[in-house]
């Protein structure tokens, strides 16, 4: 089976490629800036402009659309780029368009989440058969934030925000299972094993790193942070992940310790 992975140099894309290959897929990895070498068939793809779309989807059976732009122009990449990719996938006769999304995007007034929701709707309105899996924030993404924050002498944080981090490897495993010609439509969301406050996560990180930085509560009186505080980004009834935050800190590698360059947001901007 020929499978296209967009955002292939991002955190999720990096986890997907070896798992898809181990499951017998012929992987075509797409990125705006492909690496010079690699085990996959790499193609250059820019979703913002549409450059490379025809070559990326040629003879592809399944698309796993992991590309996103959380800190960039998410409307151009996540909404318009997804529509471009869907049009190309329809022309290519793709059997299943697999889309990793984010838990809680219906209830959190944040422009990036609104664009992810618009992308979901475009996928469901398309003629291309689809599978949509929402997941909570990755351990890797949370650790990247704390890695940056760790350089400060004091950590000002919205400590009452609640999130439910999950290991990217576990989300990738589920997506590989769904990267088949038979679409599943909208799947139940996938959350990590425990709901935490940001304060709890910061204290766990601080202990694991042997740091003594004071944590100061930073109230942020906006609707977005109120929704996070109220747990809208969590799905406690779908706590299907098994790797806890503490176990990940003890046994995994934080983004600052990784060598593959796949850090930060859930997927690569492309």
């Amino acid at each position: 089976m020929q499978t296209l992975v967009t955002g292939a140099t991002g955190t999720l894309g990096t986890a997907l490629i070896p798992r898809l290959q181990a499951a017998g897929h012929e992987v075509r990895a797409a990125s705006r800036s492909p690496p010079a070498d690699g085990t996959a068939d790499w193609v250059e793809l820019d979703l913002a402009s549409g450059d490379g779309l025809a070559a990326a989807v040629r003879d592809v059976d399944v698309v796993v659309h992991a590309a996103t732009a959380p800190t960039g122009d998410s409307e151009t990449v996540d909404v318009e780029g997804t529509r471009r990719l869907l049009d190309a996938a329809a022309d290519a006769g793709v059997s299943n368009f697999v889309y990793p999304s984010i838990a809680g995007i219906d209830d959190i007034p944040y422009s990036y989440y609104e664009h992810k929701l618009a992308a979901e709707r475009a996928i469901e309105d398309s003629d291309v058969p689809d599978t949509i899996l929402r997941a909570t924030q990755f351990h890797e993404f949370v650790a990247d934030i704390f890695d940056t924050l760790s350089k400060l002498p004091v950590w000002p944080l919205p400590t009452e925000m609640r999130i439910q981090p999950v290991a990217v490897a576990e989300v990738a495993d589920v997506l590989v299972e769904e990267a088949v010609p038979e679409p599943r439509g909208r799947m139940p969301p996938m959350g990590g094993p425990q709901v935490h406050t940001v304060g709890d996560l910061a204290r766990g990180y601080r202990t694991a790193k042997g740091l003594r930085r004071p944590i100061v509560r930073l109230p942020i009186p906006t609707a977005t942070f109120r929704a996070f505080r109220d747990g809208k980004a969590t799905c406690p009834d779908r706590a299907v992940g098994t790797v806890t935050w503490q176990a990940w800190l003890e046994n995994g590698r934080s983004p600052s310790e990784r060598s593959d360059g796949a850090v930060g947001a859930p997927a690569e901007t492309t």
Side-chain angles (χ1 to χ4, degrees), residues 22 80 86 207 248 251:
E80 297 171 11
L86 286 165
T207 298
W248 186 87
N251 301 312

Side-chain angles (χ1 to χ4, degrees), residues 68-263:
T68 188
T71 59
D73 187 349
S74 56
E75 183 171 14
T76 297
V77 174
D78 288 83
V79 184
E80 297 171 11
T82 296
R83 289 179 179 143
R84 292 188 187 97
L85 182 59
L86 286 165
D87 289 343
D91 291 341
V94 167
S95 300
N96 189 6
F97 192 98
V98 181
Y99 188 59
S101 191
I102 304 172
I105 56 176
D106 324 72
D107 301 313
I108 301 175
Y110 172 41
S111 60
Y112 171 56
Y113 282 14
E114 290 164 357
H115 294 150
K116 292 290 286 186
L117 184 59
E120 283 188 0
R121 290 171 175 162
I123 292 165
E124 291 181 319
D125 290 343
S126 167
D127 292 333
V128 183
D130 64 82
T131 300
I132 297 174
L133 173 67
R134 289 183 177 181
T136 53
Q137 286 75 22
F138 295 152
H139 290 317
E140 289 79 356
F141 175 61
V142 178
D144 187 40
I145 294 173
F146 289 141
D147 277 352
T148 301
L149 193 66
S150 68
K151 300 173 178 62
L152 301 178
V154 177
W155 296 356
L157 288 167
T159 54
E160 300 306 307
M161 280 178 53
R162 288 192 287 163
I163 59 176
Q164 188 181 350
V166 64
V168 68
E170 294 190 285
V171 177
D173 286 340
V174 173
L175 291 169
V176 169
E177 291 177 3
E178 301 306 325
V180 293
E182 297 77 24
R184 287 279 302 277
R186 186 173 291 277
M187 297 180 62
M190 180 177 183
Q194 297 170 332
V195 176
H196 296 273
T197 65
V198 166
D200 290 339
L201 294 169
R203 285 185 285 272
Y205 176 94
R206 186 177 61 180
T207 298
K209 298 294 181 180
L211 301 173
R212 299 174 61 86
R213 307 288 196 274
I215 298 169
V216 177
R217 180 171 178 262
L218 177 66
I220 303 178
T222 66
T224 298
F225 282 89
R226 186 162 53 249
F228 274 100
R229 184 196 63 201
D230 293 343
K232 299 298 185 182
T234 68
C235 50
D237 57 333
R238 289 288 301 163
V240 296
T242 62
V243 180
T244 66
W245 173 240
Q246 203 61 41
W248 186 87
L249 285 171
E250 292 171 0
N251 301 312
R253 289 184 295 163
S254 74
S256 64
E257 296 165 332
R258 294 181 57 170
S259 60
D260 58 17
V263 301

Side-chain angles (χ1 to χ4, degrees), residues 24-51:
H25 294 248
E26 293 182 15
V27 177
R28 181 174 298 155
S31 170
R32 190 173 56 183
S33 301
D37 54 10
T39 58
D41 171 23
W42 285 88
V43 297
E44 186 172 341
L45 172 63
D46 188 337
L47 288 174
S49 66
D51 292 344

